[in-house]
Amino acid sequence: MKGSCLCGAVTYEARGKVGAPAACHCTQCRKQSGHVWASAYLEDGTLDIAGEVRWFRSSDKARRGFCPTCGSALFWTHDDDPFTCFSTGSIDGPTGLRLRGHIHTAAKGDYYDIAGTEPQRED
Ligand SMILES: [Zn+2]
Ligand SMILES: [Zn+2]
């Protein structure tokens, strides 16, 4: 599975078993992405990133990686997790993935409803 930012300066390749992505409706994800952020992760394997990524510490436990040229939101990582999440929107071509659910729905925007049958979690 390969991915890239909007301008192409950052690319990545995920090799291994990809976990099903979740769509996050929290305030931080909505601020950074402009709407809703969905990301997948590797249950095992390696994520090789090429190009310059700028990291923003968005909380005392998590960092968000983005392309410094075009601003694409690409990565999210928690200090206690061994993996780096990558945005589903940055994956090139068909993903073969399905959302496992929606999280932090209590913080979602008031301008949309969540469609679909995937499970929803308020926190
Ligand atoms: Zn870029
Ligand atoms: Zn979030």
Side-chain angles (χ1 to χ4, degrees):
M1 183 175 283
K2 294 182 177 180
S4 57
C5 65
L6 180 59
C7 77
V10 180
T11 60
Y12 64 86
E13 186 163 355
R15 288 193 207 85
K17 183 169 171 22
V18 178
C24 186
H25 300 258
C26 83
T27 305
Q28 289 191 354
C29 286
R30 295 195 297 112
K31 289 265 186 202
Q32 193 192 22
S33 71
H35 181 44
V36 176
W37 158 270
S39 63
Y41 65 100
L42 283 168
E43 291 178 355
D44 58 60
T46 55
L47 181 69
D48 293 324
I49 300 170
E52 183 195 352
V53 175
R54 190 164 300 164
W55 291 93
F56 171 66
R57 182 156 284 283
S58 50
S59 75
D60 56 357
K61 292 180 183 137
R63 295 182 305 147
R64 293 165 181 266
F66 61 95
C67 172
T69 300
C70 69
S72 294
L74 298 168
F75 306 113
W76 183 93
T77 182
H78 190 285
D79 291 349
D80 296 337
D81 287 339
F83 52 79
T84 297
C85 296
F86 49 97
S87 61
T88 50
S90 67
I91 297 168
D92 294 326
T95 68
L97 300 172
R98 291 295 299 173
L99 281 183
R100 68 182 146 86
H102 298 268
I103 59 174
H104 294 292
T105 59
K108 84 171 192 63
D110 62 1
Y111 59 92
Y112 64 92
D113 295 316
I114 300 172
T117 56
E118 296 92 0
Q120 298 185 22
R121 207 180 76 198
E122 287 205 338
D123 60 350

